[in-house]
Structure formats: C-alpha cells, structure tokens
Amino acid sequence: MNSPRYEILMDRKENPRKCTILPQKERQDFAIRYFAGPRPIPAFQSDCLLHIDGEDLSQVDKGTYESVGLIDCNWKKVAGALQKVVRPLPKLVRIPEGFETAYPRKNAEGKDPDGGLATIEALFIAGAFLGKWDESLLDKYHFKNEFLKLNEPLWKKYALGPFSTDQ
C-alpha cells in the first residue's frame, strides 16, 4: 500500500505556535487548506474523514482507505465547519476510544472533551490503522516519545506498528 495522504482543513484562526500540523506542511503526503468565514469549503478529496461519529477504525480492513481527511480547529467549531464543506463527504471514521494525548492541554474553562488528541497524534493513529506506521509524522512533534510510550498498550492491543503481526 502507498503511504496514506493526509488532507487537513485548518481554521485560519488557529494559533500557529500551538499547531502540531504546520511543521509538517512541506511533506509531500500533506495537503493543508484553510477556511474562515461563511464561504462554502471545497469538498474533501480523501477516502475517509476523521469524525467522532464515524466508523471505528479498528473495525476497518487495513487496505480499505489510502487517504484521510481531518478538520483542524477548536472542537467547538467542527460542526459548523463541516456544514460548510461541499458534499458528498468521505466515509466518516473515528479513532477507537482510549488513546491519550501527550500534548499539555490548558483550557481556562476546563471544557475540553475527554479523549481529545493533538491533530498530529490523530493523523498518526489513523495512518497506523490504515496500515502505515510512520513515525516521521511525529519527528517535529515535541511530545513524540511521550505519546508513543503513553499509548503503547493500545499499539499492542491493536497490533499496530512494531507490534504488528503482519511482519
């Protein structure tokens, strides 16, 4: 299987200093598009789109999808952004519960949803489920080692990456 392609729809108002995707923008397998305001957003070209209401990636055959899309914005803005995306949407998929972020989250209101991941973490996990364990996705992520170690029980549970039975 070819390397998955990552298509990111990013809120133009995202803080670039906190963004885990921008350091990856030069990658050949990344396509980053920005959105802002009320204009329609061109359709995703990806085979699947990460969304909390999607099909569990652990239930999807590894060869089913080659590219994954994601909306990168404050979690409160996702529904509104998704409404502006031109249809049809790709197949919605989600990351199985239990994965943990290594990104230090600070929310003055304390209202972040449980189980939130940094965008680069979500793309890495999705890629692993699509059959491509690519640690180079995390090379510019300050919390790479902590993230990999923190989720080691799940890498083992789902036989991903170095714990794969496909080798």
Side-chain angles (χ1 to χ4, degrees):
M1 176 179 157
N2 295 332
S3 178
R5 185 172 50 86
Y6 304 97
E7 183 179 15
I8 299 96
L9 181 59
M10 183 178 292
D11 184 348
R12 198 169 286 288
K13 295 180 181 179
E14 282 289 287
N15 184 338
R17 290 184 319 223
K18 295 181 180 180
C19 184
T20 61
I21 291 299
L22 285 179
Q24 303 293 339
K25 68 183 176 191
E26 302 302 322
R27 287 179 63 111
Q28 294 295 315
D29 55 351
F30 268 61
I32 299 174
R33 295 186 289 139
Y34 295 92
F35 71 91
R39 292 185 305 241
I41 299 168
F44 276 96
Q45 301 301 307
S46 300
D47 300 327
C48 61
L49 176 63
L50 284 176
H51 190 278
I52 196 164
D53 294 328
E55 179 182 4
D56 187 321
L57 277 169
S58 69
Q59 304 300 309
V60 174
D61 290 334
K62 282 188 179 170
T64 304
Y65 304 114
E66 292 188 14
S67 59
V68 60
L70 180 141
I71 297 175
D72 186 18
C73 64
N74 181 295
W75 62 271
K76 294 183 253 182
K77 295 182 180 182
V78 171
L82 192 59
Q83 289 301 315
K84 293 188 281 186
V85 174
V86 173
R87 301 308 197 247
L89 292 175
K91 175 76 174 176
L92 300 181
V93 296
R94 68 178 168 81
I95 293 170
E97 291 183 24
F99 284 93
E100 295 183 57
T101 186
Y103 192 89
R105 302 175 89 181
K106 295 179 184 175
N107 180 315
E109 299 172 0
K111 294 183 179 177
D112 279 341
D114 291 334
L117 297 164
T119 304
I120 197 66
E121 292 171 341
L123 287 177
F124 178 82
I125 295 167
F129 277 104
L130 295 178
K132 181 65 175 173
W133 180 271
D134 182 4
E135 288 187 30
S136 74
L137 280 173
L138 302 170
D139 282 350
K140 296 181 181 180
Y141 182 50
H142 182 73
F143 307 101
K144 172 184 179 174
N145 293 333
E146 183 180 348
F147 170 71
L148 291 171
K149 183 71 174 160
L150 186 63
N151 290 291
E152 189 171 305
L154 292 169
W155 309 135
K156 290 177 182 177
K157 174 182 178 179
Y158 294 111
L160 296 172
F163 306 102
S164 174
T165 57
D166 295 339
Q167 297 180 19

